[in-house]
Amino acid sequence: MKLFDEWKLKRECQKLGHENEYNDYKKVKEVLSNDKTMYEGFLKKAEENLARAKELHGEDTLEYSKASDEVNRWKYNLEQLILKAQFIRPNNPSDISYRKNIIDEFSDKIASILGDDTTIRFHGTTIYYAKEILKNNGISSSSSRYDGYDSSTDLEDEISVTTPSTINRTLSFFTDLYAFQSSLPAGCLFVLRASDEDQELTKYAAMKSFNFKNNPERFLGVCTTSENIPKVREWLKEYGYEENLVFTFDEFLAIAHKFKIDKPDTTLASEVSSEETLIDAEGLIKELDDENIDQTLEVKSRAR
C-alpha cells in the first residue's frame, strides 16, 4: 500500500473511532513483513540444499526427495504469506459480529433446509485462496500444485468437503471466519454438487476435484460476507463466470431450498403401480361377459 493510501486509511479509521483496529492492523502488517523476509531466507537455503543433494546423491534418491519437499514447503508458505498480505486491513466491529453470528447459526439453518441431501457439498477457504480457485477454474490440493507437497490429508485428485449435516466443521476451521484476529476478511464457502462417484467418499469428508468450467452445473455458488461481495463478483466476471454466483450467507439461506434434490418419493411410485394395476383390470373387464361387468366395476371402485 502506498504511503498516501496508508494515510487515508488511518484517517478513515480515526473518524470511525477504530484507532485500536488500525493499530492491530499495523502490527499484523509488520509481522507479515518480517515473516516474508524469514521465509525467503528459508527458501533460499532449501534450494541450496536441493542443489547439493542433486550433486552428491542424484535425483533418484531419498536425500534428493526430502530436499525437494523442503523447497516446495517453503514455496507454499511464502506464496500463502504473500497472498495474505494483499488482503489485510483494519477490522470492522460490525463485520466481526456478523461472522460470529454465522458460526453460531448458519450450520443449523442450512441443515434444516437441505436435510440429508448429500449431493450438496461445502468447501471453505480463505479469501486469498478463493481468488486462486476461481482463477484456476477449480479447487485443487497442495499436492497437485506443489509437486507432491501435502499441506493436508487430501489426496492429489480429491478436495475436503462437508455435507449439510457436517458443515459446522467447514465453517469453524476452514472458512476463515475467525481471521479477524489477523486483520483479514472472512473467507468463502464454495457450494458444490457431488457426482455419483463422490457418494462413497462422503465418509472421508472428501470428493473428487473437478473443473468448474467443464461442469458448470456442479458449481452452485460462493457464500461470503458483505465486505467481500464486490471483490468476489469482480473475480467471477474477470474469470468468465456468472456474477450472480456470489451470495451473502443470509442470501444463500433464502434460496438454498432451490438446490435441494429430494429422495425418490415411494408414495408416487406406489400410486403409479396402483394405476398400472387398474389399467390391467380395465383390460380384463373387456374380456368378461355382460353378466360379470357390474360386479367387477364394483370391486374396482372399492380398490380406488
Side-chain angles (χ1 to χ4, degrees), residues 37 47 63 113 158 162 180 208 217 234 277:
T37 301
E47 289 173 336
E63 289 81 3
I113 295 170
E158 295 179 2
T162 51
F180 54 80
K208 295 288 185 181
E217 76 285 354
E234 181 181 328
T277 302

Side-chain angles (χ1 to χ4, degrees), residues 66-135:
K66 288 182 177 180
S68 179
D69 283 345
E70 192 69 2
V71 168
N72 287 318
R73 173 192 175 195
W74 289 111
K75 281 184 177 180
Y76 172 84
N77 288 328
L78 182 59
E79 180 182 283
Q80 183 185 48
L81 187 147
I82 291 172
L83 291 172
K84 184 184 296 185
Q86 297 174 13
F87 289 90
I88 58 168
R89 83 290 181 267
N91 283 320
N92 183 310
S94 62
D95 170 66
I96 293 176
S97 178
Y98 178 73
R99 287 155 73 164
K100 290 180 177 178
N101 186 61
I102 291 301
I103 294 168
D104 292 338
E105 299 184 5
F106 187 83
S107 297
D108 290 340
K109 289 181 179 179
I110 202 66
S112 67
I113 295 170
L114 297 177
D116 56 359
D117 183 359
T118 59
T119 68
I120 294 183
R121 307 291 176 84
F122 302 97
H123 178 87
T125 191
T126 62
I127 186 63
Y128 45 91
Y129 279 145
K131 181 179 181 180
E132 297 301 301
I133 286 170
L134 295 173
K135 179 179 179 180

Side-chain angles (χ1 to χ4, degrees), residues 171-220:
L171 292 175
S172 298
F173 302 112
F174 302 106
T175 314
D176 244 17
L177 292 171
Y178 288 109
F180 54 80
Q181 297 168 346
S182 299
S183 296
L184 277 166
C188 294
L189 182 71
F190 281 78
V191 188
L192 313 170
R193 179 78 72 190
S195 66
D196 290 340
E197 66 176 330
D198 292 321
Q199 294 306 315
E200 180 64 24
L201 294 173
T202 303
K203 58 187 175 185
Y204 301 113
M207 66 184 286
K208 295 288 185 181
S209 56
F210 68 95
N211 186 290
F212 291 174
K213 290 292 184 65
N214 295 341
N215 303 271
E217 76 285 354
R218 296 181 58 199
F219 176 32
L220 305 183

Side-chain angles (χ1 to χ4, degrees), residues 9 56 97 120 134 146 214 216 224 226 241 264 293 302:
L9 181 61
L56 296 176
S97 178
I120 294 183
L134 295 173
Y146 292 91
N214 295 341
T224 191
S226 297
Y241 298 94
I293 287 179
R302 288 200 297 269

Side-chain angles (χ1 to χ4, degrees), residues 133-196:
I133 286 170
L134 295 173
K135 179 179 179 180
N136 295 314
N137 301 321
I139 304 164
S140 59
S141 66
S142 63
S143 178
S144 62
R145 289 180 285 126
Y146 292 91
D147 195 24
Y149 169 70
D150 288 322
S151 64
S152 70
T153 58
D154 294 344
L155 299 180
E156 188 170 344
D157 62 341
E158 295 179 2
I159 56 175
S160 298
V161 291
T162 51
T163 62
S165 62
T166 60
I167 189 177
N168 189 55
R169 278 180 271 168
T170 292
L171 292 175
S172 298
F173 302 112
F174 302 106
T175 314
D176 244 17
L177 292 171
Y178 288 109
F180 54 80
Q181 297 168 346
S182 299
S183 296
L184 277 166
C188 294
L189 182 71
F190 281 78
V191 188
L192 313 170
R193 179 78 72 190
S195 66
D196 290 340

